[in-house]
Amino acid sequence: MTRLPSRDLRRDLYAATAAALLFATAALVGTAIERRDGTLFVNWPPLLADWGPHTGPGTAAAIVVAVAVVAYGPPLAARLPWRGLLLTVWGAGMAWTFSLALVDGWQRGIARRLTTRYEYLQVIDRFHDIPATLRDFTDHILIGSPDQWPAHIAGHPPAATLTFVYLDRIGLGGGAWAGVWCIVVGATAALAILVTVRTLADEKLARRAAPFLVLAPGAVWLGTSADGWFAAVAAWAVALLALAVTGHGPRWTGLASGLLFGLTVYLSYGLTLYVVIAAAVLFLGSERLRPLLFAVAGFLVVPIVFTALGFYWWEAYDLLVTRYNQGAGGTRPQSYWVWANLACQVLVVGLATAAGLRRTGVALLMRRESTAGFRLAVLVGAALLALLVADLSGMSKAETERIWLPFALWLLPSCAFLTGPRGWLAVQAVLALLVNHLLWTGW
């Protein structure tokens, strides 16, 4: 006699199927729009990608990592010592991201990614006098301005570019080192998320989430992208804030959290929406005033330094809005992208996360505020809310498979609610492998 799936599992499968249908609809509608009037400016809607089945040196390694995590991830996550688990997650996450990047080959997958005409390494030589460059930074944002910045430099505060300037100055110049930096540091975002979940919810849920953070489908875009670096900085800001306000960390954690939050908003304008996640941390944390004051003091440091050097964040952001509308962003139809952006996230977070978000919603509706499940649901819900606000802003039309990585990674812990983790992990791995081997992704 065939055993039917449980009611909860059936509902999880319905949620995953709905997510898959959302992506399929976005692909079909987007293709029709692009063929009709060419206003989407992407070759494989809703992703910025090109069709091109291929294999590469990372193919075998990616399959081996996926099989190992599916087979051994859940039991290892349950029994490893906590610090050993974090190190294992970091190592396995790096292996997953490197292997996926190497499917496209060393040059295309890693070494050249951050050297294209849109990227940060194109302007390293223009920062030989950093204070002078910061004073004049806004003069080059608009299209048509003298020596206008390439798209990614104009689209971010200068701390993003300064990351690679300083790497170059310490002898780690060039695309290869930049790519390795983004992957190695970006992989620590998973550790920060686990620390936060353990601190604000409980360790059991953090351990259940760990394998899903390793096999994140978003690793396709984390390697190699500066947004991986941004995600790590922002995630550690949240983790340190959680430790500070719950009294689980040293006294310096509040100040360090504030410093990282300050750096975060000077890496990417959109990451100001991390205030939503920070608010959830404060809601879930204790009523400790001193760590919060230290965090505020730390936060002010980076803005004060940049302002003193002549870069004015609000002025630059106002010019960026104009620049955005001068380019493809001003032409791309919000009526399509407002929901197609969400369809992109199906491939970034995977079908398992769609099912996990369904269970997150149930945990929130039950309102058992003293339970670890409710607390995890609040944290995940805050990340989802921040992502939705970014979507409605109209400043994120396309390329959100990369741009929203710092928010999307926080949705993955929702998979801790799922039963049968090996099956869901296999779904995540297969999805990432298919995307990486069937499409040439880029930006």
Side-chain angles (χ1 to χ4, degrees):
M1 183 176 179
T2 302
R3 184 177 180 181
L4 295 175
S6 69
R7 183 175 63 178
D8 282 340
L9 177 57
R10 288 199 303 272
R11 289 176 176 174
D12 291 341
L13 293 173
Y14 294 153
T17 301
L21 289 174
L22 175 64
F23 180 83
T25 303
L28 292 172
V29 172
T31 299
I33 293 173
E34 187 65 9
R35 287 177 178 174
R36 185 189 67 203
D37 52 28
T39 56
L40 300 186
F41 296 97
V42 292
N43 293 331
W44 209 84
L47 302 176
L48 184 66
D50 293 290
W51 179 258
H54 62 284
T55 59
T59 296
I63 293 172
V64 169
V65 172
V67 171
V69 176
V70 170
Y72 303 109
L76 280 176
R79 69 172 182 261
L80 281 174
W82 178 250
R83 290 185 181 179
L85 173 62
L86 293 180
L87 289 173
T88 302
V89 167
W90 188 23
M94 282 192 291
W96 177 238
T97 307
F98 268 115
S99 60
L100 288 175
L102 289 171
V103 169
D104 296 349
W106 171 257
Q107 289 298 320
R108 181 175 181 134
I110 296 177
R112 289 206 305 261
R113 273 293 174 97
L114 295 169
T115 65
T116 65
R117 62 193 182 101
Y118 300 113
E119 287 286 359
Y120 305 97
L121 270 66
Q122 287 289 320
V123 300
I124 297 297
D125 293 341
R126 291 174 62 178
F127 279 76
H128 61 278
D129 184 340
I130 291 175
T133 304
L134 292 179
R135 286 194 299 271
D136 297 336
F137 191 89
T138 54
D139 294 338
H140 309 291
I141 291 178
L142 296 181
I143 292 176
S145 61
D147 297 321
Q148 70 183 46
W149 295 120
H152 287 186
I153 292 82
H156 293 82
T161 308
L162 285 173
T163 300
F164 303 102
V165 171
Y166 284 119
L167 282 176
D168 182 76
R169 291 192 175 186
I170 64 173
L172 302 180
W177 280 115
V180 169
W181 168 268
C182 290
I183 292 175
V184 171
V185 180
T188 69
L191 313 188
I193 293 169
L194 291 177
V195 168
T196 306
V197 172
R198 183 194 191 213
T199 303
L200 297 177
D202 71 6
E203 186 172 319
K204 182 179 179 181
L205 286 172
R207 288 177 176 275
R208 288 179 61 85
F212 290 95
L213 283 161
V214 171
L215 284 188
V220 170
W221 293 277
L222 279 171
T224 301
S225 165
D227 292 88
W229 154 240
F230 305 161
V233 174
W236 280 111
V238 172
L240 291 173
L241 181 63
L243 291 171
V245 299
T246 58
H248 288 98
R251 293 182 180 181
W252 53 263
T253 51
L255 182 64
S257 171
L259 286 168
L260 289 181
F261 270 120
L263 176 59
T264 295
V265 298
Y266 278 77
L267 288 170
S268 174
Y269 297 104
L271 293 185
T272 53
L273 290 173
Y274 253 69
V275 68
V276 179
I277 303 176
V281 171
L282 296 178
F283 171 75
L284 296 171
S286 62
E287 298 179 0
R288 292 173 177 266
L289 182 60
R290 181 177 293 182
L292 183 57
L293 292 176
F294 278 122
V296 172
F299 174 80
L300 294 175
V301 171
V302 175
I304 287 173
V305 169
F306 274 95
T307 303
L309 291 173
F311 172 78
Y312 302 103
W313 193 97
W314 283 109
E315 177 186 348
Y317 179 73
D318 186 55
L319 290 169
L320 171 62
V321 173
T322 302
R323 163 93 182 233
Y324 186 76
N325 290 318
Q326 286 179 319
T331 304
R332 286 169 169 158
Q334 174 72 347
S335 58
Y336 171 76
W337 287 109
V338 73
W339 60 275
N341 283 333
L342 302 178
C344 287
Q345 301 313 299
V346 173
L347 298 192
V348 176
V349 301
L351 299 178
T353 304
L357 289 175
R358 184 200 73 80
R359 296 207 179 206
T360 298
V362 172
L364 286 173
L365 291 173
M366 292 179 68
R367 293 188 62 83
R368 295 176 181 173
E369 299 183 12
S370 62
T371 65
F374 176 82
R375 297 168 73 82
L376 174 58
V378 169
L379 188 62
V380 172
L384 180 60
L385 177 59
L387 188 148
L388 292 174
V389 172
D391 190 30
L392 294 173
S393 73
M395 288 294 289
S396 295
K397 299 172 191 167
E399 303 180 56
T400 53
E401 61 269 26
R402 170 185 59 83
I403 297 169
W404 287 356
L405 282 170
F407 302 112
L409 293 177
W410 287 92
L411 304 183
L412 294 170
S414 66
C415 296
F417 291 122
L418 298 174
T419 56
R422 282 196 175 101
W424 287 112
L425 282 167
V427 170
Q428 298 287 85
V430 169
L431 179 63
L433 290 168
L434 285 174
V435 170
N436 216 51
H437 285 83
L438 294 178
L439 299 174
W440 292 106
T441 58
W443 40 87

